[in-house]
Amino acid sequence: MQHIIHRKWWKEVVVYQLYPRSFKDSNGDGIGDLKGIIEKLDYIESLGIDVVWLNPVYESPNDDMGYDISDYRAIMKQFGSMEDFDLLLEGLHSRGIKLIMDLVVNHTSDEHEWFRESRKLRDNPYRNYYHWWDAEKGKPPYRWSIFDKESNAWKYEAATNSYYLHIFSEKQPDLNWENPEVRNQVYDMMRWWMDKGVDGFRLDVITCISKDIAFPELPKDMAPGDWFPYYAKGPNLHAYLQEMNREVFSRYDGMNVGEASGININDALLFVDEDRQELQTFYHFDHTGFGISKDNFMYADHSNRNLVEWKKIFHRWDQVFSKKGWGTIYLGNHDTSRMTSRFGNDSEAYRELSATMLHTFLLSMRATPYIYNGDEIGMVNTNHTSIESYQDVYTINYYHQLKQRGEDAESFLRSHAWISRDNGRTPMQWNNTVNAGFTSGTPWLAVHENYTSLNVEEQETRPGSVLNYVRRMIRLRKNNLTLIYGAFNPVDENNEQLFAYTRELDDQKLLVVLNFSDRPAQLETTIDLSESQILISNYPEPLDKEGYKPYAAVIYQLF
Ligand code: GLC
Ligand code: CA
């Protein structure tokens, strides 16, 4: 029988990820801001969530929408001021909601004071804050960059006749974590925010902070996906995370979650085993290949959607954390297209059903759930196919790269329409007035045209809306420790339409059945449902003689 192990508040929370640029604009400049979020605090509270993860709000020239920070201790002017930030924090705290900040310390902006100094002279005191390669040594060993126009992570600077490393765009130079001064500066800044009252951090590309700084030549013919070991998970990664824990995490009762590109089930516990004192949690990417080309993750492949394989990924990850550590679960964020379009079905007939089904999944797994803003009303992809519709450096630079190389940039765009990050960044749809009530000006990224019917206001009053379902489902999880800590066991694993599993804690047993398809589906199981009680479902009657209805979701309490 499963009992609760290592009960902790941060395992029991539901996190709401808030993308400030697209949430609510208070002053008509078309850009969401902190005052806008403050206007919506009651709405945020009404969801029943416990923690807000705020995407970066620091001073930034916005080459990569705030992931290029030029001042870690200042608020981006477009978003407001430090006073606004303090009010926001107070507003959240007074509602019992915690706030975690995005910590982007693999790189800074090239406009950060450290880099402005660093690039001046070879013997500048800040030189060693970044990775420089002196040109006398010849060209540095090639490193690919997904955000670079020329796909090259080394940028030559004539001023000092050397190259600097930027895994992301050329305006995002990588910090040199080998330099203890850099690390101390980072910890100091983290403590500064914690002392201000924030409740923790989401750690951007944290596995990249340590890399092999000998920069060995890459093996020939390596596929982009295989290059990771040369970019991340370097020899000192665990030492640095332990140091960060000692210097920051251990001193506060906070929460942290690493963005863990490259971590797999075999080394997962090295990061989150409590005894190792590194991170509390991280999020992996294993399930995000669904519908994406196996050969090139920049392209969609709709045929690559195998539910049986997908279910195994979640099962494997659950097993990793069955005794130690703790997982997280998400289906969408600011780096993905919309959850309902990717993993559900965004047709009019099934949009709401598949969205509520996916939320039932998110909120019934043994892992801390992350809900991305807009998903609580089932927002969907925009599917733009013209480059002018995009704002994301990732899309724009890759498109130009292909053009330059004379490759088929248009087919990339057609494919990318379904997976681009901007799909997940369109403004929040509040109501059916112009620009969905997001702004009175011109939105920085066009509002999805379906806002007249798909919006918060419309869903508020309708009991069966996605929004009201999400609220009920969050409440159910919060009031049911079995949904949080209960053992997870798959049921009818080879079913190609249904994802079904039990959750068991002490003497309580639940069965979750989710239909991931647009056809009725029969569950093969010996579990006796005759005495069961339905705790929640997205249909009044989820099951008839043909089976579970399309995109049905149901949680049974078994007796
Ligand atoms: C992370 C962020 C992403 C950003 C990148 C570089 O993956 O989530 O938005 O572009 O890191 O900071
Ligand atoms: Ca604004």
Side-chain angles (χ1 to χ4, degrees):
M1 194 180 283
Q2 172 88 39
H3 305 290
I4 295 180
I5 35 174
H6 310 303
R7 192 166 177 184
K8 288 276 189 306
W9 66 262
W10 45 265
K11 297 181 180 174
E12 300 181 12
V13 296
V14 176
V15 183
Y16 184 61
Q17 184 193 342
L18 196 155
Y19 195 69
R21 202 172 192 79
S22 301
F23 199 66
K24 178 74 176 87
D25 173 23
S26 70
N27 62 353
D29 66 356
I31 296 169
D33 46 52
L34 300 184
K35 283 209 171 83
I37 304 174
I38 293 170
E39 283 174 28
K40 296 294 182 187
L41 279 170
D42 289 342
Y43 170 78
I44 296 170
E45 181 184 16
S46 79
L47 300 173
I49 54 93
D50 310 280
V51 176
V52 166
W53 150 22
L54 203 57
N55 284 97
V57 293
Y58 317 89
E59 193 54 87
S60 163
N62 282 308
D63 188 53
D64 183 23
M65 298 306 164
Y67 283 92
D68 47 321
I69 297 169
S70 53
D71 186 346
Y72 288 106
R73 296 176 203 229
I75 297 295
M76 190 192 300
K77 284 183 198 65
Q78 294 179 332
F79 286 171
S81 64
M82 198 52 88
E83 286 70 49
D84 299 333
F85 180 86
D86 293 339
L87 281 175
L88 172 60
L89 186 60
E90 211 179 284
L92 287 167
H93 282 170
S94 70
R95 288 167 175 82
I97 300 171
K98 296 185 191 291
L99 176 69
I100 62 173
M101 301 288 279
D102 221 308
L103 182 79
V104 189
V105 290
N106 172 66
H107 44 265
T108 67
S109 162
D110 66 337
E111 297 180 35
H112 192 287
E113 187 199 325
W114 298 338
F115 192 75
R116 284 194 276 125
E117 287 297 320
S118 189
R119 80 193 325 176
K120 280 183 186 159
L121 288 170
R122 285 193 183 183
D123 61 5
N124 186 285
Y126 289 92
R127 186 68 170 178
N128 201 22
Y129 270 50
Y130 297 87
H131 295 287
W132 291 97
W133 181 278
D134 295 340
E136 313 78 273
K137 295 198 282 179
K139 269 199 169 177
Y142 178 65
R143 287 291 180 275
W144 178 72
S145 156
I146 52 172
F147 288 5
D148 187 64
K149 285 194 200 77
E150 272 137 38
S151 186
N152 184 355
W154 290 107
K155 166 112 171 126
Y156 178 72
E157 292 241 310
T160 57
N161 189 32
S162 39
Y163 301 81
Y164 69 85
L165 181 76
H166 62 90
I167 296 183
F168 297 93
S169 91
E170 63 178 55
K171 288 185 65 64
Q172 295 170 291
D174 285 50
L175 278 168
N176 175 12
W177 272 70
E178 308 306 309
N179 179 351
E181 238 181 88
V182 167
R183 304 203 299 275
N184 287 332
Q185 292 265 19
V186 169
Y187 306 144
D188 204 54
M189 174 272 285
M190 291 172 77
R191 285 189 297 259
W192 187 82
W193 281 101
M194 291 302 287
D195 291 339
K196 211 171 185 354
V198 309
D199 302 287
F201 298 98
R202 173 264 184 189
L203 306 123
D204 190 61
V205 290
I206 198 65
T207 47
C208 296
I209 58 176
S210 167
K211 37 204 158 240
D212 184 346
I213 57 157
F215 299 109
E217 288 290 346
L218 300 176
K220 292 245 173 314
D221 304 326
M222 235 167 74
D226 299 337
W227 295 7
F228 215 76
Y230 294 86
Y231 288 73
K233 287 171 85 175
N236 297 322
L237 181 56
H238 291 291
Y240 295 158
L241 291 176
Q242 281 162 17
E243 186 179 66
M244 186 184 282
N245 187 302
R246 212 163 49 237
E247 296 296 321
V248 187
F249 302 148
S250 68
R251 304 185 186 189
Y252 306 86
D253 182 21
M255 170 171 167
N256 64 68
V257 53
E259 186 194 24
S261 341
I263 294 185
N264 55 52
I265 53 171
N266 301 317
D267 61 4
L269 285 180
L270 293 178
F271 293 87
V272 295
D273 173 346
E274 301 72 5
D275 298 336
R276 290 175 52 85
Q277 314 224 343
E278 294 192 16
L279 299 175
Q280 288 169 342
T281 56
F282 62 77
Y283 63 90
H284 66 78
F285 290 80
D286 286 3
H287 60 299
T288 61
F290 196 70
I292 305 290
S293 160
K294 282 191 173 141
D295 306 323
N296 187 341
F297 64 85
M298 305 292 273
Y299 289 81
D301 175 359
H302 294 267
S303 66
N304 183 24
R305 286 164 164 247
N306 181 328
L307 188 69
V308 174
E309 290 304 315
W310 201 68
K311 291 191 289 189
K312 284 188 192 149
I313 294 173
F314 291 97
H315 187 197
R316 276 201 297 273
W317 275 101
D318 181 80
Q319 285 173 324
V320 170
F321 302 126
S322 61
K323 297 207 172 55
K324 295 196 130 187
W326 188 253
T328 62
I329 189 152
Y330 70 100
L331 290 174
N333 60 36
H334 66 293
D335 289 332
T336 66
S337 56
R338 283 286 170 187
M339 154 184 113
T340 303
S341 303
R342 285 218 39 209
F343 302 104
N345 182 328
D346 62 13
S347 69
E348 263 320 289
Y350 294 128
R351 173 166 52 77
E352 292 219 322
L353 283 165
S354 66
T356 48
M357 184 277 289
L358 293 169
H359 282 293
T360 315
F361 172 62
L362 279 177
L363 292 156
S364 66
M365 292 291 282
R366 176 164 63 180
T368 300
Y370 284 70
I371 298 175
Y372 181 55
N373 63 190
D375 283 346
E376 77 273 27
I377 55 169
M379 282 173 60
V380 297
N381 282 353
T382 44
N383 300 318
H384 289 309
T385 51
S386 88
I387 192 67
E388 288 73 38
S389 317
Y390 287 94
Q391 291 285 344
D392 185 4
V393 61
Y394 184 20
T395 309
I396 295 171
N397 286 357
Y398 196 73
Y399 174 82
H400 289 300
Q401 229 184 82
L402 290 172
K403 284 224 118 161
Q404 254 170 29
R405 295 207 299 259
E407 288 175 33
D408 187 356
E410 301 312 315
S411 93
F412 159 73
L413 270 189
R414 274 195 304 279
S415 177
H416 203 63
W418 191 66
I419 51 178
S420 83
R421 307 199 294 183
D422 278 349
N423 274 311
R425 297 178 179 184
T426 61
M428 186 71 187
Q429 296 167 204
W430 294 106
N431 56 43
N432 65 7
T433 65
V434 72
N435 291 320
F438 163 70
T439 179
S440 57
T442 306
W444 72 277
L445 183 67
V447 173
H448 195 300
E449 60 204 14
N450 68 8
Y451 74 90
T452 49
S453 56
L454 199 174
N455 60 65
V456 170
E457 197 177 277
E458 189 281 325
Q459 296 200 12
E460 280 289 358
T461 49
R462 188 159 49 84
S465 67
V466 183
L467 179 58
N468 284 317
Y469 185 90
V470 170
R471 287 171 172 151
R472 275 166 57 214
M473 188 60 219
I474 291 175
R475 227 176 299 132
L476 184 66
R477 181 179 178 93
K478 300 286 301 169
N479 292 321
N480 194 315
L481 286 173
T482 305
L483 281 175
I484 300 171
Y485 292 104
F488 165 94
N489 278 301
V491 174
D492 197 6
E493 280 169 279
N494 292 322
N495 196 309
E496 290 169 4
Q497 293 166 271
L498 298 177
F499 197 162
Y501 43 91
T502 55
R503 302 292 315 278
E504 245 177 293
L505 186 73
D506 301 325
D507 54 6
Q508 195 186 29
K509 187 166 179 177
L510 308 175
L511 170 69
V512 182
V513 184
L514 308 164
N515 188 348
F516 272 73
S517 79
D518 58 2
R519 285 155 294 126
Q522 300 280 357
L523 182 70
E524 265 189 54
T525 173
T526 52
I527 295 173
D528 179 13
L529 290 177
S530 59
E531 295 285 308
S532 65
Q533 182 199 338
I534 292 184
L535 298 183
I536 194 166
S537 175
N538 60 355
Y539 278 97
E541 299 283 345
L543 183 67
D544 63 20
K545 57 182 185 316
E546 285 180 49
Y548 286 93
K549 294 176 182 168
Y551 299 105
V554 48
I555 301 183
Y556 299 95
Q557 160 117 33
L558 303 175
F559 297 102

